[in-house]
Amino acid sequence: MSADIIARGMAAAQSRSANTQALIKALRTQAIFPQPAWRTLAGDVAAITVPAGGAASTFAGGTFTGVTDRSKVSWLSGAADKDANITYASRGAWYGASRQTNYSSYEFIHTGTRFESYVLCSVIDATAPNFRVLVGDKVAGTATVPADGAFRPLLVVFPTSGTRRIRIELSGGRHGGILTQNANEIGTVSRSYPLVTVIGDSFGEGTGAWPYDGEAVSAIRAIGCNCALGAVGGTGILNPATGGKVNWQDANRLSDLALNGFTDQITNAAPSPALGVIMMSINDNGMQSANWNGAATYQAAIAKGLFAMVDHWQVQRPGKPLVVFGPTWPTEAPPLDIYRMRDAGQEVCAGLSNVWFIDRLGAGPVLRKGTISSTVTTGTLTAASKIITALASTSGVVVGSMVLGTGIPVGARVASVDSATQVTIDVNATAGGAGIALTFRNDPAGMYTVTTDSTHPNQFGHNLDAMWMARQLRELILTQFA
């Protein structure tokens, strides 16, 4: 018998639906969790140049391949909208300035040393790199595109010629396509990514993480699928938030879940999600039941709203699986209403065909146990070195402490405390400098939570939650879906 559990799952799945077989195949052939930049080979590190808005291409007489060219490009961020300028972004659930999500991406094969990625950024003013190039699932380069609403061709140059599987990811913007010197430099990856829709709050939206590495997007990438992200900060089943947003019982949000009544502007076809995911929201904590649905209790109000979402999914996507993740909480001590919300989710999903409930409170308190214990100081880094010198103090720093700071790779830990002014970490710094602000976090809660935000996960926390959720989805796909 094969030792490959996914191969065994594929063999056992021959009697299951074509939809489930496609999900299993995606798990085995294309599931990724992007590897950080320091894992990228020197020959695959990309130099990215961001020109002024409206700049001309550097390829005189070159060839433009639009993201609509399905013979060469795989769109990887849900169903696509287009604006009057024929640029594309994934359809999202933001009800403020835009109906487009803050994350979009596509994939292709490139042969050669350079190409240009044609983008516009205007939805958000990103404070972190909002453009990323992956090669073979490893980060090869990042850049910051000004949110000025101007089109620009970003030049991507590799040190050596080669054939690479390229993934372009963008936050807060829209894609036009790729410019190359010759048409034959671009080819298709020949992959099929099942479409997964996700409804959630700011956790799913990615607050506290790099825009393209929030827990929802990361979890769906980790099962080899295409994420149609409909997560909006501040909202919930009951809570509409402010600024033109609506709660998840609104017809628009129900459509974001099932993608009904919508035509994908890239395929010109109605999208057909293979899986729906609901991530119940902490924003519903404390909402008064008297104001919602005519329900007698808070738990009944949550249940009634969730029933509306499940019913909509089952009517629009009959036979397709729906997974409801119960609420999470930033600490190990959630308030009583969060448990009531969890219980409502279990109540709604119990006994329904192809509807699954996953309790996040079981894992959450363990992951977040402890106090937010941090040591903030400054130190000197040397690029490509693991040693941090000239620390003001190492008091409170212990082996295993998580390290954060400019030039420190995400997830870095203290390998040894060498002296009162020096430590060694477990990976090389990516940049050098003196007087770098550093934070050492010494317990699970400290590693999980954003330093200036007691609610949202930092990048480490998003990664942790994403991998846990991906594991739950993987088990359901392999063993439970019809």
Side-chain angles (χ1 to χ4, degrees):
M1 179 179 292
S2 171
D4 185 338
I5 188 172
I6 299 181
R8 295 206 304 269
M10 291 180 70
Q14 298 308 306
S15 61
R16 295 158 72 187
S17 69
N19 188 73
T20 297
Q21 291 181 49
L23 288 168
I24 292 173
K25 182 178 179 181
L27 261 178
R28 187 168 196 243
T29 60
Q30 58 208 31
I32 72 162
F33 201 82
Q35 295 296 301
W38 51 269
R39 290 291 308 278
T40 303
L41 298 175
D44 277 336
V45 175
I48 302 174
T49 302
V50 181
S57 169
T58 60
F59 297 121
T63 299
F64 178 78
T65 303
V67 291
T68 57
D69 187 345
R70 298 196 70 211
S71 69
K72 295 184 176 181
V73 173
S74 296
W75 184 255
L76 296 177
S77 52
D81 274 340
K82 70 178 179 181
D83 66 6
N85 295 298
I86 320 298
T87 58
Y88 293 80
S90 61
R91 180 178 188 263
W94 179 261
Y95 291 96
S98 173
R99 277 285 291 131
Q100 295 168 326
T101 188
N102 64 353
Y103 169 77
S104 55
S105 68
Y106 63 95
E107 196 172 64
F108 57 94
I109 298 294
H110 176 255
T111 301
T113 58
R114 59 177 56 203
F115 62 86
E116 290 176 338
S117 177
Y118 190 62
V119 300
L120 171 153
C121 195
S122 63
V123 176
I124 61 171
D125 186 11
T127 56
N130 58 354
F131 177 87
R132 184 164 76 173
V133 176
L134 275 67
V135 173
D137 305 331
K138 295 179 180 179
V139 177
T142 60
T144 299
V145 182
D148 56 9
F151 294 100
R152 43 175 51 87
L154 275 62
L155 178 62
V156 180
V157 180
F158 293 95
T160 61
S161 180
T163 298
R164 299 172 172 91
R165 177 165 54 86
I166 303 290
R167 182 178 292 217
I168 301 293
E169 298 186 318
L170 182 69
S171 173
R174 301 166 185 172
H175 298 277
I178 316 120
L179 296 103
T180 55
Q181 193 63 62
N182 301 298
N184 59 7
E185 292 180 29
I186 301 296
T188 179
V189 296
S190 299
R191 289 183 171 193
S192 177
Y193 290 87
L195 179 60
V196 178
T197 60
V198 181
I199 296 293
D201 55 18
S202 53
F203 280 61
E205 195 174 30
T207 299
W210 295 123
Y212 25 63
D213 281 335
E215 59 184 45
V217 170
S218 295
I220 302 309
R221 273 191 310 229
I223 60 170
C225 294
N226 172 7
C227 182
L229 181 60
V232 179
T235 65
I237 293 174
L238 304 180
N239 196 334
T242 59
K245 303 175 187 179
V246 292
N247 70 27
W248 302 353
Q249 300 171 61
D250 183 271
N252 285 314
R253 299 310 305 278
L254 295 176
S255 178
D256 288 324
L257 174 62
L259 288 181
N260 55 291
F262 181 71
T263 299
D264 189 314
Q265 296 299 308
I266 287 180
T267 65
N268 292 317
S272 181
L275 168 65
V277 175
I278 299 171
M279 298 167 57
M280 297 179 75
S281 172
I282 66 173
N283 297 316
D284 286 326
N285 176 51
M287 301 296 292
Q288 295 300 311
S289 62
N291 297 327
W292 300 103
N293 298 332
T297 66
Y298 168 82
Q299 185 169 323
I302 291 288
K304 192 172 182 180
L306 185 56
F307 266 124
M309 299 182 72
V310 173
D311 287 347
H312 183 83
W313 174 266
Q314 291 189 316
V315 168
Q316 297 296 330
R317 303 298 171 192
K320 299 290 183 69
L322 177 67
V323 176
V324 178
F325 283 96
T328 186
W329 193 253
T331 71
E332 63 173 327
L336 185 57
D337 273 356
I338 294 295
Y339 287 100
R340 291 184 176 123
M341 190 190 308
R342 186 271 310 275
D343 293 348
Q346 291 176 322
E347 170 192 339
V348 168
C349 297
L352 293 178
S353 176
N354 233 10
V355 177
W356 312 92
F357 182 84
I358 303 295
D359 184 5
R360 282 195 287 176
L361 294 183
V366 175
L367 299 178
R368 296 147 181 73
K369 186 175 179 62
T371 59
I372 301 177
S373 170
S374 300
T375 298
V376 179
T377 184
T378 59
T380 296
L381 304 179
T382 301
S385 171
K386 297 179 181 179
I387 299 174
I388 304 176
T389 60
L391 291 166
S393 171
T394 56
S395 177
V397 178
V398 298
V399 172
S401 293
M402 184 179 183
V403 190
L404 296 141
T406 302
I408 302 290
V410 172
R413 304 269 192 115
V414 172
S416 64
V417 180
D418 306 326
S419 70
T421 60
Q422 178 179 304
V423 300
T424 299
I425 59 177
D426 58 357
V427 292
N428 289 332
T430 57
I436 303 295
L438 300 168
T439 300
F440 295 87
R441 293 180 173 167
N442 305 326
D443 58 66
M447 289 189 290
Y448 180 85
T449 311
V450 175
T451 304
T452 57
D453 179 344
S454 60
T455 300
H456 297 99
N458 56 34
Q459 186 62 70
F460 176 89
H462 275 276
N463 291 350
L464 198 65
D465 283 358
M467 292 306 291
W468 185 86
M469 287 189 289
R471 178 181 177 183
Q472 309 309 309
L473 292 172
R474 181 179 183 273
E475 182 175 353
L476 289 174
I477 291 169
L478 291 176
T479 65
Q480 299 297 320
F481 286 173

